[in-house]
Amino acid sequence: MTSRDTLTFIARRLMAMAVLLVVLSFGVFCLTFLAPGDAVDAHLGLRPRTPELVAALRERYNLDEPFMMQYWLWARDALQFDFGVSSQSTLPVSEEIGARLGTSMFLAVYGYILAMLLGIVPGVYAALRKKQAIDRGLVAGAVIMMSMPPFVLGILMLYVFAVLIPIFPASGLGDGFVDQLYHLTLPALTLAFAVSAFLLRHSRGAVIGVLDQDYVTFARARGLNSRHIMKRYVLRNALIPVVTISGAMVAFFVIGAVFVESVFSINGLGTLLVSSAQKSDMPMIQGLSLLIAVIIVSANLLADIAYVALDPRIRLGRSS
């Protein structure tokens, strides 16, 4: 794929991403009008209703304007990361999200790296030991991990490695990078295990499929080094479908973080979303929903770009 084709592909994906985000933002904005009561009640949350506060809210959120004008003004503010004031804490939504975003991103990236290592490496190893005891054991372990919900696995990990065998702390974030890495190891492993089990089975199947291809047999017949065949022919082709699903894994990390942060008492976006939903904090729910949508769509865009980078022969929307 030439650089021009790559730029065209990226431009198409960016346009599709922009359209999708517009649709998602409209759905998030409509949450205010789908909630019980009127739009003022949605923004009030659990605060007492007074004439002065109602008038201030109607002016702040342009509730006297036509519906589409309200959406346009809300979307314009959202582009500047302005979602109004939380009805729960009376602080700006952007400040509340910004204060917790770093912790959640640290946990998500840590869990993602662990998931890739714990999924791809054993998956490749199991494929190379096909139908042997180690292969069957890894596949059986992956099935068990995939069957366990994140919050159940989190409680089990907490009990075993923080109570019975106190290797890791049960809660807290720590001070500094190394200490934070130590404190978030258990939550990150909890997030990673279910995803790594899925990746293990997927990468195992992909490697087995590539090993059966004629070009691998021909490379062996030519006397090429096994390590060279593995790197040049097997992994390069087998990782393409794995990279394709890696973007979809981000959605699981976002959803799983809600339960994991609650189990390990982590003050992140997951616990903020749960408390906002419990207290009907509509501005906060809108801000978090749109942020999560942007993260998931962006992750899928990066996965598509990585998909093309792994195999330059791919032509999307045109023939080779």
Side-chain angles (χ1 to χ4, degrees):
M1 178 177 280
T2 64
S3 58
R4 183 177 179 181
D5 292 329
T6 303
L7 291 175
T8 302
F9 167 77
I10 295 175
R12 284 180 184 172
R13 287 293 183 268
L14 285 174
M15 288 188 291
M17 175 181 172
V19 173
L20 180 59
L21 286 177
V22 169
V23 175
L24 290 173
S25 67
F26 184 77
V28 169
F29 173 74
C30 289
L31 290 175
T32 301
F33 300 90
L34 295 175
D38 57 15
V40 174
D41 292 328
H43 288 291
L44 275 173
L46 301 179
R47 287 182 293 176
R49 185 182 184 117
T50 64
E52 295 78 10
L53 186 54
V54 169
L57 287 174
R58 298 191 71 87
E59 181 180 359
R60 169 65 181 84
Y61 293 103
N62 305 293
L63 298 179
D64 294 325
E65 299 287 345
F67 178 77
M68 292 307 298
M69 179 58 68
Q70 290 183 42
Y71 167 69
W72 164 250
L73 295 172
W74 176 86
R76 183 194 63 187
D77 292 339
L79 285 174
Q80 303 172 27
F81 206 54
D82 180 9
F83 297 96
V85 176
S86 167
S87 61
Q88 178 180 348
S89 64
T90 67
L91 294 173
V93 170
S94 57
E95 290 186 10
E96 289 278 290
I97 294 178
R100 306 189 187 207
L101 181 61
T103 300
S104 293
M105 291 301 294
F106 190 101
L107 175 61
V109 172
Y110 191 10
Y112 185 86
I113 293 173
L114 290 176
M116 299 298 285
L117 292 175
L118 296 174
I120 294 177
V121 175
V124 173
Y125 186 78
L128 296 176
R129 302 292 186 272
K130 182 181 176 183
K131 294 184 179 180
Q132 296 183 15
I134 186 65
D135 174 37
R136 299 182 188 279
L138 287 172
V139 172
V143 172
I144 294 173
M145 286 297 176
M146 290 174 63
S147 304
M148 297 182 67
F151 67 92
V152 174
L153 182 59
I155 294 173
L156 180 62
M157 296 275 288
L158 192 64
Y159 179 69
V160 173
F161 296 106
V163 178
L164 288 182
I165 311 173
I167 301 175
F168 298 101
S171 61
L173 295 177
D175 299 319
F177 177 80
V178 176
D179 197 25
Q180 191 171 13
L181 204 68
Y182 172 61
H183 277 74
L184 291 180
T185 296
L186 271 187
L189 282 172
T190 303
L191 275 176
F193 273 138
V195 176
S196 62
F198 179 75
L199 275 176
L200 187 151
R201 298 191 64 187
H202 204 82
S203 57
R204 175 185 177 274
V207 171
I208 289 174
V210 173
L211 287 173
D212 292 336
Q213 296 297 314
D214 292 337
Y215 56 82
V216 176
T217 304
F218 181 67
R220 286 171 176 162
R222 289 169 56 196
L224 294 179
N225 183 275
S226 298
R227 182 175 297 178
H228 179 77
I229 294 174
M230 194 67 187
K231 180 180 177 181
R232 179 73 177 177
Y233 295 96
V234 178
L235 290 181
R236 188 176 181 88
N237 291 280
L239 288 181
I240 292 176
V242 175
V243 170
T244 304
I245 65 171
S246 64
M249 292 191 323
V250 176
F252 176 85
F253 277 99
V254 172
I255 297 171
V258 174
F259 302 104
V260 172
E261 288 181 4
S262 299
V263 171
F264 291 92
S265 302
I266 298 174
N267 198 23
L269 295 181
T271 52
L272 181 61
L273 181 61
V274 171
S275 63
S276 300
Q278 291 174 340
K279 298 182 179 180
S280 303
D281 189 348
M282 190 55 63
M284 186 66 70
I285 294 173
Q286 287 179 319
L288 287 170
S289 299
L290 193 57
L291 176 63
I292 290 170
V294 170
I295 292 174
I296 292 176
V297 172
S298 300
N300 280 278
L301 173 65
L302 293 176
D304 287 341
I305 295 173
Y307 182 78
V308 175
L310 275 176
D311 192 349
R313 299 167 301 171
I314 296 173
R315 300 290 193 272
L316 299 181
R318 54 184 294 183
S319 60
S320 301

